[in-house]
């Protein structure tokens, strides 16, 4: 985590890492409601949001969003059974935290800003994918 990140303690055993995001409207981003925090109780990679460009990951007491867009040339990576990520375009591999294991990608998969709504729904801010 960098300095702009912090943990929002949720009053239960879970915490949601929150990255600051501007409330100023920006047409290049969208906020996606991925469902109730209660939908992410099991420690695993939730890959149903891959087509939207990210994964939701629950690990111990933390829930976070990780970009599914390869930092090499923009293909979508796939989660593997060991929770690492593979890009089939040119075989870059990333560990379970999105750190590059082998290239050609040189940059880690970034975490995306997340927030918890008042009704405990997880909101993810993503850059709109080009059509
Ligand atoms: S686009 Fe992923 S390795 Fe090239």
């Amino acid at each position: 985590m960098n300095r702009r990140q912090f943990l929002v303690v949720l009053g239960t055993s879970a915490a949601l890492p929150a990255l600051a995001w501007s409330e100023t409207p920006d047409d290049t981003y969208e906020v996606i409601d991925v469902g109730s925090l209660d939908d992410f109780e099991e420690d695993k990679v939730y890959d149903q949001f891959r087509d939207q460009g990210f994964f939701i990951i629950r690990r111990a007491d933390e829930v976070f969003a990780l970009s599914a867009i390869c930092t090499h040339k923009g293909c979508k990576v796939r989660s593997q059974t060991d929770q690492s990520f593979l890009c089939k375009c040119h075989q870059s591999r990333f560990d379970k935290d999105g750190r590059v294991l082998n290239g050609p990608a040189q940059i880690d998969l970034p975490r995306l800003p997340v927030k918890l709504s008042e009704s405990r729904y997880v909101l993810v801010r993503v850059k709109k994918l080009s059509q």
Side-chain angles (χ1 to χ4, degrees):
M1 275 192 198
N2 65 36
R3 283 186 220 165
R4 294 180 58 202
Q5 298 172 316
F6 57 97
L7 293 177
V8 176
V9 177
L10 304 174
T12 66
S13 60
L16 196 68
L19 307 182
W21 95 53
S22 168
E23 298 299 335
T24 305
D26 183 338
D27 287 352
T28 62
Y29 287 89
E30 61 185 326
V31 175
I32 298 176
D33 178 344
V34 297
S36 170
L37 181 63
D38 296 338
D39 295 339
F40 306 106
E41 288 188 338
E42 186 181 344
D43 277 17
K44 69 176 198 174
V45 175
Y46 295 83
D47 64 0
Q48 64 264 45
F49 309 103
R50 177 180 174 269
D51 285 345
Q52 293 168 278
F54 62 92
F55 302 100
I56 297 294
I57 299 172
R58 172 66 184 251
R59 193 169 305 130
D61 294 339
E62 186 180 28
V63 176
F64 60 96
L66 188 71
S67 173
I69 308 300
C70 181
T71 55
H72 178 230
K73 291 195 184 270
C75 294
K76 289 187 181 130
V77 302
R78 294 187 181 279
S79 64
Q80 305 297 293
T81 54
D82 64 356
Q83 297 195 12
S84 67
F85 300 91
L86 170 66
C87 180
K88 291 187 172 181
C89 287
H90 310 102
Q91 306 304 309
S92 288
R93 292 186 57 86
F94 304 85
D95 74 7
K96 63 187 178 109
D97 293 313
R99 288 184 291 256
V100 174
L101 292 172
N102 61 274
Q106 300 291 308
I107 299 170
D108 299 341
L109 299 173
R111 288 191 180 195
L112 302 181
V114 293
K115 281 185 179 177
L116 196 64
S117 73
E118 288 181 14
S119 53
R120 296 178 54 84
Y121 276 69
V122 179
L123 308 176
V124 181
R125 185 176 186 256
V126 297
K127 193 164 182 70
K128 289 180 180 174
L129 298 176
S130 54
Q131 300 298 320

